[in-house]
Amino acid sequence: MAPRHGAVEPPVGDKPRNYDQMAGSRRLLRRLIEVAAIPLEPQERLDRVVRMIATDMVAEVCSVYAQRAGDLLELFATEGLAPGAVHRVRMRVGEGLVGSIAATGQVVNTADAQSHPNFRYFPETGEEIYHSFLGVPLLRSGRVTGVLTVQNRAPRHYSDDEVEALEVIGTVLAEMFASGGLVDPKVYGYIAGLRRESYRLEGTRLVEGVAIGRAWLHEPQIVINRLIAENVGTELNRLDLAVTRFRASMDELVERPDLGSGEHRDVFEALRMFAHDPGWVRRIRETVETGLSAEAAVRRVQEETRLKLGHVADPYIRERLQDLDDLANRLLRQLTGQALHHDPSDLPAETILIARNLSAADLIEYDRSRIKGIVLEEGSRTAHVTIVARALDIPMLGRVDGAMAAADPGDLLAIDGDHGHLFLRPTEDVEQAFLSSIMIRQERRRILETQRSLPSVTLDRVSISLSLNAAFLIDLAHLDESGADGIGLFRTELTFMNRSRYPDLPAQTDYYRSIMEKAGDLPILFRTLDVGSDKQLPYWRTPTEENPAMGWRAIRMMLDRPIVLREQLRALLRAANGRPLCVMFPMVTEVAEFEAARALVDRELDRLDRDGLPRPERLQVGVMMEVPALFWQLPAILRRVDFVSLGSNDLFQFLYASDRGNPQLTDRYDVLSPSLLSFIRDLVERCRAAGVRLSVCGEMASRPLEAMALIGLGVRHLSVTAADLAPVKAMLRSVEIGPLHDYLTTLLELSDHSLRGRLQAYALDHGIVLPPGVYRP
């Protein structure tokens, strides 16, 4: 049998299940592309498209629905339904069969639409005479942007081949929608990212501040011009060649000498490992065989993967989705002839970086002096990229749904990180308001910076120790100039997280030695490995948990894997090489856990002696107060530790049974509530009575208003982010602790939801320096 329509006949063993069906689909796809090239008005072109699909699939109805603002689906074209229903019939996402497809991204195939539980009747369409219904989602950027349906009067289930054919057609229509070929963006403002007017998107504030700049997409949308396989064999050859070059480029990238030997190389090594996964390439090859071009096949597999995994809560799986997205985009660049490697050095000045997600290593790759703000479609307050962005003082928003599809490269954007707003293409008055706010903040920051070298002493001469939170060597680059008393929290887990494989003893020892050398004579408090929950290691598979924040993590995991903890302790002790050393265990719930961990320290000290290596000049071992249960064992734990560090982030979520990663609970509870402040006051008094140093190293310490409450309760050691050190110091140098303590004591018995408003008023009345309007609950 001769090849059909110019396609190469595949070998017998590789022949698709229904080759004739696929050949017919390719014929229809070519006709769609031809229609797209004809100079027609967008609506006329779309009308022709639905007629062609209906004819080719022998369907009495073919309809296209597009998603508009407000989660509404609108009928944009139809062949078979009442013409007057076009642009009049609208439904919400989740409403009716079409709405359920948009909500779930799943195909609906039923022989009797009206008996389906999700059916809703729209009398203006005249669809009551049609029984069979098949609908598929139009996917773009991991989101459903529309729905394509066919209907017939006779009750029947559409075959698998028909379903697949309609899905392939949907892939092409989604690309045509995104290019503006099927809708007029001047008339329909919110279709597949086409709208161009000024508007606002809501998000979650991750790092406070305001910024204005031009959009730069971390992974820019790649426009696909070739959608149809004129010759399947040729497309498979193109794909194989592109994959070979793509893998070679990944190998070259990993071997670049300028990558050094740190976290960046580990990130790229992990990507190289995924690039050589045969299963991923096999799925793309199978999709090419349905009639799509190689690049369209890559895009379809990418969108399907996003849809399947995009809502999975497991952080390990979500990180793998980010890796697969990166690979797909790199392969698409290879196929479309674009530069494969995204060069961060090309970043223009005054940039707002937009990404679906971002790793700390990704951010470090960029010239941070050019980044004015960051917008993420995902992200969380506790992600390590958030920690790095806060340390670099870069305003950042997270959970800004649809940001990548809505913004084009070069668009003017304004970030309000204080309230969680993103303004796309702001009007002139909004732009001027942001520029004015930025100037005021810069002047204020300049004034605050002059206080860095001044002592951390209150008006009534009470000394407060201010240290920095750190996680990377870059955090220590300007430690001497910061005016900090040392590092009050070094998060060792972030170094583990940014590697593709477990760091062995020499690697850990070298790294910790570098940190200590950078710090010089300033003290560093190392927190041992705190992984689990939302902090997963790419080379460890941990079990799925119903509630990972309260599950197998931190010291619990390390005591179950004592070899890992012992190796880290051994590396820290060897890196110290006789210098003072402070070690802290995270998430200690009971005294027995601390004793077990401390016993491992003692065993490693004995090992130092056997190896003839010097012990630390002074070794201090402490715990993080994060789990409320430990509070009721204070007498026993305080006899055994050298210090206690209060981790406000986890303590807050455990005390209130409030998931700090849940955006619906972001503002539900406040750290400045009477209950939490009473807890801290009692902890302060009991640590003071036992002669044990208490510090606060969580996010609470980095916010000037919250820090004011802490020192008013008696806390004398704070560990803050580098960007917040100057504002916190300015606050404490302008406060008198005696009256503040007396005032706070009168508030703790109140039934208020929060004492925030009262404390803000107190600060205003007493001339205490606080950033205006920035630090909210």
Side-chain angles (χ1 to χ4, degrees), residues 130-428:
Y130 303 104
H131 294 279
S132 305
F133 177 95
L134 172 61
V136 301
L138 305 182
L139 302 176
R140 193 73 166 84
S141 300
R143 305 175 62 210
V144 178
T145 59
V147 176
L148 172 64
T149 69
V150 292
Q151 296 172 261
N152 286 89
R153 297 189 188 192
R156 72 181 183 92
H157 277 283
Y158 294 90
S159 69
D160 291 343
D161 291 326
E162 289 173 311
V163 172
E164 185 169 36
L166 200 64
E167 287 183 310
V168 173
I169 294 168
T171 299
V172 175
L173 288 186
E175 293 294 330
M176 293 171 72
F177 262 97
S179 67
L182 297 180
V183 294
D184 186 349
K186 294 179 291 186
V187 179
Y188 302 105
Y190 185 74
I191 300 298
L194 293 178
R195 67 175 170 176
R196 306 301 305 156
E197 74 275 13
S198 174
Y199 63 101
R200 189 179 80 183
L201 291 177
E202 302 295 327
T204 298
R205 53 188 183 275
L206 300 180
V207 179
E208 295 86 350
V210 296
I212 192 164
R214 296 289 174 179
W216 176 276
L217 274 62
H218 175 63
E219 288 298 345
Q221 293 291 343
I222 300 171
V223 177
I224 296 176
N225 296 316
R226 296 184 70 256
L227 298 171
I228 309 305
E230 292 293 332
N231 184 301
V232 172
T234 300
E235 290 303 306
L236 290 174
N237 290 336
R238 287 185 64 233
L239 176 64
D240 291 343
L241 181 60
V243 168
T244 299
R245 291 175 175 171
F246 157 61
R247 287 172 172 171
S249 69
M250 291 299 297
D251 294 340
E252 292 172 4
L253 185 61
V254 172
E255 300 306 323
R256 276 172 44 187
D258 59 322
L259 277 182
S261 58
E263 292 90 355
H264 303 337
R265 181 180 297 279
D266 296 328
V267 170
F268 286 116
E269 284 180 346
L271 283 174
R272 175 167 64 175
M273 177 180 66
F274 282 107
H276 287 270
D277 176 23
W280 178 62
V281 176
R282 183 173 59 251
R283 288 174 57 205
I284 298 172
R285 287 180 61 87
E286 291 171 351
T287 306
V288 170
E289 291 174 349
T290 67
L292 293 179
S293 67
E295 45 265 63
V298 173
R299 173 62 58 76
R300 182 179 171 188
V301 171
Q302 180 185 31
E303 298 293 358
E304 288 176 346
T305 304
R306 285 174 176 172
L307 192 65
K308 290 176 182 177
L309 303 182
H311 300 292
V312 174
D314 184 276
Y316 178 87
I317 295 177
R318 293 185 68 83
E319 287 176 6
R320 300 293 71 73
L321 173 60
Q322 185 179 349
D323 290 334
L324 290 172
D325 247 359
D326 182 48
L327 289 178
N329 286 328
R330 290 170 184 266
L331 183 53
L332 280 172
R333 291 193 189 98
Q334 190 71 256
L335 284 163
T336 57
Q338 299 183 31
L340 178 63
H341 180 55
H342 175 69
D343 187 359
S345 65
D346 290 340
L347 200 70
E350 310 293 323
T351 287
I352 302 294
L353 190 62
I354 304 180
R356 177 165 291 101
N357 213 333
L358 201 67
S359 71
D362 289 333
L363 179 54
I364 293 169
E365 261 196 332
Y366 284 102
D367 180 350
R368 277 88 66 195
S369 66
R370 296 172 177 265
I371 299 178
K372 301 305 176 184
I374 301 172
V375 177
L376 302 180
E377 291 191 346
E378 298 179 6
S380 70
R381 287 182 175 175
T382 55
H384 46 294
V385 69
T386 306
I387 295 168
V388 173
R390 181 177 291 280
L392 297 173
D393 196 22
I394 300 175
M396 183 161 73
L397 298 181
R399 301 180 186 273
V400 184
D401 189 34
M404 292 193 73
D408 289 332
D411 277 348
L412 185 65
L413 304 179
I415 290 180
D416 180 355
D418 300 341
H419 304 90
H421 299 155
L422 171 66
F423 294 85
L424 284 90
R425 298 173 288 275
T427 58
E428 187 175 348

Side-chain angles (χ1 to χ4, degrees), residues 491-730:
R491 299 178 172 93
T492 61
E493 65 273 3
L494 296 187
T495 303
F496 286 73
M497 291 169 67
N498 278 343
R499 292 175 178 265
S500 61
R501 55 181 178 267
Y502 177 79
D504 58 16
L505 178 63
Q508 290 189 56
T509 304
D510 290 345
Y511 186 67
Y512 300 142
R513 184 182 297 115
S514 298
I515 293 166
M516 295 177 191
E517 289 172 354
K518 285 263 187 188
D521 295 331
L522 294 176
I524 305 175
L525 198 161
F526 289 95
R527 182 175 69 187
T528 60
L529 196 58
D530 183 7
V531 294
S533 185
D534 65 332
K535 292 181 286 188
Q536 299 288 330
L537 302 183
Y539 38 83
W540 283 0
R541 290 307 303 266
T542 54
T544 300
E545 300 179 85
E546 290 291 333
N547 195 344
M550 301 175 71
W552 194 52
R553 53 174 292 206
I555 195 64
R556 300 171 180 177
M557 184 186 293
M558 292 302 99
L559 290 177
D560 288 344
R561 292 177 168 176
I563 294 177
V564 175
L565 181 55
R566 286 192 64 180
E567 191 165 64
Q568 184 178 29
L569 293 171
R570 191 178 309 154
L572 286 166
L573 290 166
R574 291 187 176 190
N577 194 31
R579 288 175 287 216
L581 178 65
C582 292
V583 176
M584 175 170 63
F585 298 115
M587 205 180 170
V588 173
T589 305
E590 58 184 15
V591 175
E593 288 178 338
F594 175 78
E595 289 186 324
R598 176 66 211 226
L600 296 181
V601 175
D602 293 336
R603 292 176 66 178
E604 290 305 319
L605 287 171
D606 292 341
R607 185 176 183 129
L608 278 183
D609 296 338
R610 291 196 304 271
D611 293 342
L613 299 173
R615 288 192 174 208
E617 175 187 330
R618 184 178 69 259
L619 175 63
Q620 293 185 308
V621 183
V623 295
M624 289 197 76
M625 171 61 72
E626 299 173 282
V627 183
L630 190 63
F631 180 82
W632 283 275
Q633 292 186 289
L634 275 177
I637 196 69
L638 291 178
R639 288 195 299 269
R640 291 166 169 82
V641 300
D642 297 302
F643 61 88
V644 173
S645 186
L646 190 149
S648 60
N649 298 350
D650 268 328
L651 176 64
F652 178 68
Q653 77 167 341
F654 293 144
L655 201 62
Y656 283 94
S658 175
D659 180 2
R660 58 188 173 127
N662 187 336
Q664 292 179 302
L665 300 178
T666 298
D667 296 329
R668 184 66 175 268
Y669 304 102
D670 193 351
V671 294
L672 293 180
S673 65
S675 55
L676 184 62
L677 294 182
S678 296
F679 183 99
I680 295 173
R681 178 200 55 187
D682 293 347
L683 179 63
V684 168
E685 291 176 354
R686 297 175 74 172
C687 287
R688 180 181 295 147
V692 174
R693 183 177 83 248
L694 172 68
S695 64
V696 178
C697 62
E699 186 179 357
M700 189 177 183
S702 295
R703 296 171 174 253
L705 183 65
E706 283 85 335
M708 184 187 83
L710 289 172
I711 63 176
L713 294 171
V715 175
R716 297 295 178 260
H717 300 270
L718 301 175
S719 190
V720 304
T721 62
D724 292 308
L725 187 141
V728 170
K729 180 178 283 190

Side-chain angles (χ1 to χ4, degrees), residues 469-485:
N469 296 334
F472 300 101
L473 281 169
I474 62 167
D475 297 329
L476 282 67
H478 304 289
L479 182 59
D480 290 341
E481 308 163 18
S482 69
D485 297 324

